[in-house]
Amino acid sequence: DVKVTQSSRYLVKRTGEKVFLECVQDMDHENMFWYRQDPGLGLRLIYFSYDVKMKEKGDIPEGYSVSREKKERFSLILESASTNQTSMYLCASSSTTGLGGEQYFGPGTRLTVT
Amino acid sequence: GNSVTQMEGPVTLSEEAFLTINCTYTATGYPSLFWYVQYPGEGLQLLLKATKADDKGSNKGFEATYRKETTSFHLEKGSVQVSDSAVYFCALPLSSYKLIFGSGTRLLVRP
């Protein structure tokens, strides 16, 4: 069965801390994505990666960076966490050869920055 | 460019009621269309899909028909259950690997 896992379900960090959110997929997918989900704003794409070491900015990349050193792992980094980054973060993956746009999601990490 | 609009929620229904959640889209050509569902405390999961015009996607009693004449992909279920309470997202591809999602419609089913 297809599986995307995220390192934490809940995380509480202080303002100014460096935060790492990890995502791992076991489907050998080429594409991986980080979204944030906020009430009334739906899902917004932060960054995505279409290959190891390759990345592209999404709609709201400011304040975030990403790392993809291995095909199965995609990390989201908050260099200096701020309270406006309190949100639900969702990781997803998809196959280049699959049906265009069919993505598989992890359970999400609810991050609170105090 | 591609875009998707879905009805705002919340939608509150009694168990066994009929459900419709509207979704309309604008797109170049005839892209695949998707409905995703997010149960409380979980990530999104694909509910159903349609790959071409006039296709009907179905899963778990839910159906949606790809209608190019009205550029719509409305989600329907004949008899909802309490366990269907969730947020539903309509989606279509923005590129070969990026999706654009609607804003989500929360469904609450009361016993």
Side-chain angles (χ1 to χ4, degrees):
Chain A
D1 212 12
V2 163
K3 197 130 189 188
V4 178
T5 56
Q6 296 183 227
S7 50
S8 306
R9 293 299 300 268
Y10 300 93
L11 209 51
V12 179
K13 295 292 181 181
R14 293 184 184 271
T15 301
E17 278 193 85
K18 191 168 186 176
V19 181
F20 293 87
L21 302 183
E22 305 286 337
C23 175
V24 177
Q25 51 96 2
D26 66 358
M27 297 159 286
D28 203 36
H29 282 171
E30 296 83 6
N31 309 314
M32 296 188 75
F33 308 83
W34 276 107
Y35 296 89
R36 63 177 283 176
Q37 183 178 23
D38 300 288
L41 297 176
L43 272 76
R44 293 181 291 168
L45 182 63
I46 304 171
Y47 267 97
F48 71 98
S49 168
Y50 51 90
D51 201 351
V52 176
K53 297 189 188 295
M54 305 304 289
K55 61 186 179 186
E56 281 197 24
K57 293 179 181 179
D59 302 317
I60 51 164
E62 297 79 18
Y64 303 94
S65 62
V66 290
S67 172
R68 193 165 180 204
E69 297 296 318
K70 293 185 178 181
K71 190 175 186 180
E72 68 270 20
R73 188 179 297 270
F74 191 36
S75 302
L76 180 69
I77 303 154
L78 287 65
E79 295 290 342
S80 177
S82 64
T83 55
N84 63 12
Q85 292 178 310
T86 291
S87 186
M88 169 71 91
Y89 291 88
L90 294 168
C91 176
S93 71
S94 71
S95 169
T96 301
T97 56
L99 185 65
E102 186 171 348
Q103 295 183 8
Y104 297 85
F105 284 80
T109 295
R110 186 166 294 283
L111 172 67
T112 302
V113 182
T114 61
Chain B
N2 292 2
S3 66
V4 59
T5 303
Q6 63 181 105
M7 64 187 285
E8 288 196 24
V11 174
T12 303
L13 296 172
S14 298
E15 207 165 23
E16 299 183 3
F18 185 85
L19 168 70
T20 300
I21 299 178
N22 291 337
C23 171
T24 57
Y25 66 90
T26 57
T28 304
Y30 301 106
S32 300
L33 298 174
F34 304 87
W35 275 102
Y36 282 79
V37 60
Q38 184 178 30
Y39 296 105
E42 298 183 13
L44 279 70
Q45 56 185 271
L46 181 65
L47 178 60
L48 54 84
K49 62 193 177 195
T51 59
K52 60 183 187 295
D54 300 325
D55 256 6
K56 179 183 282 189
S58 62
N59 187 26
K60 299 182 180 180
F62 291 88
E63 292 183 339
T65 302
Y66 190 155
R67 300 201 186 279
K68 63 180 182 189
E69 305 83 7
T70 53
T71 61
S72 65
F73 192 54
H74 303 324
L75 183 69
E76 297 180 335
K77 187 174 185 182
S79 176
V80 293
Q81 306 300 312
V82 172
S83 57
D84 294 326
S85 297
V87 182
Y88 293 82
F89 295 88
C90 186
L92 75 157
L94 199 58
S95 69
S96 59
Y97 39 72
K98 287 172 67 177
L99 272 178
I100 183 168
F101 292 89
S103 55
T105 302
R106 182 176 299 277
L107 170 66
L108 177 61
V109 181
R110 299 189 187 283

